[in-house]
Amino acid sequence: MDGLSRRRMLITGGTLGALGALGAATPAQARPWTWAPSGSVAGQGAGTDPDWVWDDEADPVLAAVIDRGDVPKVNGLLRQWTRNDQPLPAGLPADLRDFMEHARQMPAWADTRKLKAAVDFTKKKGIYTGALYGLGSGLMSTAIPREARAVYYSKGGADMKDRIAKTAKLGYDVGDLDAYQPQGTMIVTCVKTRLVHAAVRHLLPQSPGWSQTSGGQTIPISQADLMVTWHSLPTFVMRKLKDWRVPVSTTESDGFLHVWQVTAHLLGILDEYIPASWDEANAQSRQALDPVLAATPEGQNLTDVLLDIVAELDAGLTRPLINAFSRYTVGDRVGDLIGLDEEPFWQPLISAAWPLLVAFREGLIPLPLIPEAAWTVEEAIRKFVLLFLGEARPIDLEIPDANRPS
């Protein structure tokens, strides 16, 4: 496996040895689905196990686009579509245009007042969410076996930095102040991401590397997989904000949940699987996300790439600090699964300093109580958040027409 360093192999040798060539099964997918659709934004549903549901609207359309050889033409046209209020480009195949016109519509239950509250939340808590998306959710994704393998063996896996930048775009756009406004870009980002997912579902089963490590899954990116990823973002972030004792009003909390509910819908997740409240989100996450976390060689590779991007900040000088903050954020269990180094100097310092920085930022304690070393942590995290946002510079989300070349 290219990119999997000898040092990482030594760190996780026991785990990877046990995984063998096929990797680990994901136990949550083997359990009966028990989360009730009455807890969803739809309030009802068939209750079908989402592991056996994909995207019946998008999948046949993208399969046809790929099989007709239309991908280069479509990608060229879609580069012109960047704003929510723009008409779709002329010249798109009729079946794709019809699907996209339907897919770009906001759900009937979208609440503009709550979306405005999400903007206020981002203005106040942006440094926390930026750090948590990048050093929390981003690294946790490498401990989600299906997600790590789907990324690694798809076309984007050949250029991990570009792939990570495209993934970061979703986190950046959802927090943008104009996200779902006419001048914003989030609808465009969601629809293009949905197209990419549908293309990957068509292509990845043709990849020997993916097929040999998929743990029995024959079609990737099921509704269950999408919800696992969803929980690694808003559900995880809100849990950590509570752990860090960051004050968040009910209005702000509801707004943050709502912007992600709308995002889930526009990504093609069925309304019967989208939690209607934080209590329901946490309940679903305990079944869908928590049990599936595991180590994989592909996840190890992705972790190294993420941390190498961080090292670009200052030739790697802050990487030990970022390792420590990431362990503090995702916990030792996930830190061990993805091979994060132990940092005996930085870990205790961050555990002591970060809560004080949070309390100071929220006006709960005065400045004199903050140790000087804490500001080193603050500056490193600030730089990381800027880097994370910078990676989401204007970039084209393109439909793949092949899998990872190697």
Side-chain angles (χ1 to χ4, degrees):
M1 169 142 333
D2 56 301
L4 185 58
S5 67
R6 181 175 181 273
R7 177 180 65 83
R8 293 268 173 214
M9 287 293 290
L10 292 173
I11 290 173
T12 58
T15 304
L16 295 181
L19 289 174
L22 295 180
T26 50
Q29 274 73 29
R31 298 180 180 182
W33 178 250
T34 59
W35 189 78
S38 58
S40 70
V41 295
Q44 59 183 352
T48 305
D49 185 341
D51 203 37
W52 299 98
V53 183
W54 289 271
D55 191 335
D56 290 341
E57 294 179 337
D59 291 351
V61 174
L62 268 295
V65 168
I66 292 170
D67 292 344
R68 292 195 302 256
D70 284 344
V71 171
K73 169 189 171 184
V74 167
N75 281 334
L77 291 170
L78 289 183
R79 291 190 194 106
Q80 307 167 34
W81 188 49
T82 59
R83 281 175 46 129
N84 297 335
D85 60 356
Q86 275 183 282
L88 294 176
L92 288 173
D95 54 352
L96 181 62
R97 168 179 287 278
D98 290 345
F99 165 72
M100 292 179 66
E101 287 291 6
H102 168 70
R104 71 186 294 187
Q105 302 305 311
M106 293 283 280
W109 43 263
D111 186 325
T112 55
R113 180 180 53 83
K114 289 184 178 180
L115 292 174
K116 172 62 170 61
V119 172
D120 295 338
F121 170 83
T122 298
K123 287 179 180 177
K124 296 177 182 178
K125 313 300 179 185
I127 188 170
Y128 307 126
T129 56
L132 286 168
Y133 287 148
L135 295 175
S137 304
L139 284 171
M140 181 184 291
S141 70
T142 69
I144 300 172
R146 287 185 176 180
E147 183 170 349
R149 290 169 180 143
V151 169
Y152 187 86
Y153 291 108
S154 62
K155 185 175 182 178
D159 184 347
M160 293 293 195
K161 184 172 181 180
D162 178 70
R163 177 63 177 78
I164 290 165
K166 290 177 178 177
T167 302
K169 180 172 174 58
L170 182 71
Y172 173 78
D173 286 353
V174 77
D176 188 78
L177 302 186
D178 295 326
Y180 285 110
Q181 294 298 312
Q183 67 273 24
T185 61
M186 192 56 188
I187 293 175
V188 174
T189 295
C190 285
V191 173
K192 287 184 177 181
T193 300
R194 189 174 176 184
L195 299 180
V196 171
H197 287 165
V200 170
R201 288 190 199 96
H202 182 63
L203 294 166
L204 211 50
Q206 304 168 35
S207 163
W210 181 81
S211 298
Q212 293 167 13
T213 61
S214 65
Q217 189 180 38
T218 56
I219 303 173
I221 319 180
S222 67
Q223 292 274 306
D225 296 330
L226 289 170
M227 287 312 304
V228 166
T229 300
W230 190 89
H231 286 298
S232 75
L233 290 154
T235 309
F236 168 77
V237 167
M238 188 52 67
R239 282 182 186 175
K240 293 309 298 184
L241 292 178
K242 289 186 175 181
D243 289 347
W244 290 351
R245 299 183 180 180
V246 176
V248 179
S249 71
T250 300
T251 299
E252 291 167 348
S253 175
D254 290 348
F256 181 60
L257 174 62
H258 192 65
V259 77
W260 276 104
Q261 289 169 329
V262 172
T263 298
H265 176 93
L266 288 168
L267 287 171
I269 296 173
L270 299 179
D271 287 356
E272 69 173 272
Y273 299 125
I274 303 172
S277 68
W278 284 119
D279 285 344
E280 292 292 349
N282 285 317
Q284 191 187 89
S285 180
R286 284 191 291 271
Q287 178 174 6
L289 170 63
D290 298 355
V292 307
L293 299 173
T296 63
E298 296 86 358
Q300 296 285 335
N301 182 279
L302 288 169
T303 301
D304 272 336
V305 172
L306 276 167
L307 294 178
D308 285 345
I309 290 174
V310 173
E312 293 177 9
L313 286 171
D314 53 13
L317 295 178
T318 56
R319 180 158 172 170
L321 188 153
I322 295 298
N323 285 340
F325 188 83
S326 298
R327 270 193 175 269
Y328 177 71
T329 301
V330 301
D332 285 332
R333 177 195 172 199
V334 172
D336 290 342
L337 290 175
I338 62 178
L340 278 177
D341 293 340
E342 297 272 1
E343 302 293 347
F345 172 78
W346 283 110
Q347 283 174 222
L349 189 151
I350 288 173
S351 296
W354 187 252
L356 294 176
L357 280 169
V358 170
F360 170 70
R361 279 186 154 274
E362 301 302 323
L364 302 177
I365 62 171
L367 179 62
L369 296 181
I370 307 296
E372 186 173 346
W375 299 108
T376 303
V377 178
E378 164 91 353
E379 180 63 10
I381 299 305
R382 186 186 67 79
K383 285 183 178 180
F384 175 82
V385 171
L386 291 175
L387 174 71
F388 173 74
L389 298 182
E391 285 300 314
R393 63 195 178 278
I395 190 168
D396 293 316
L397 297 176
E398 298 197 334
I399 299 167
D401 55 4
N403 292 313
R404 183 187 179 105
S406 59

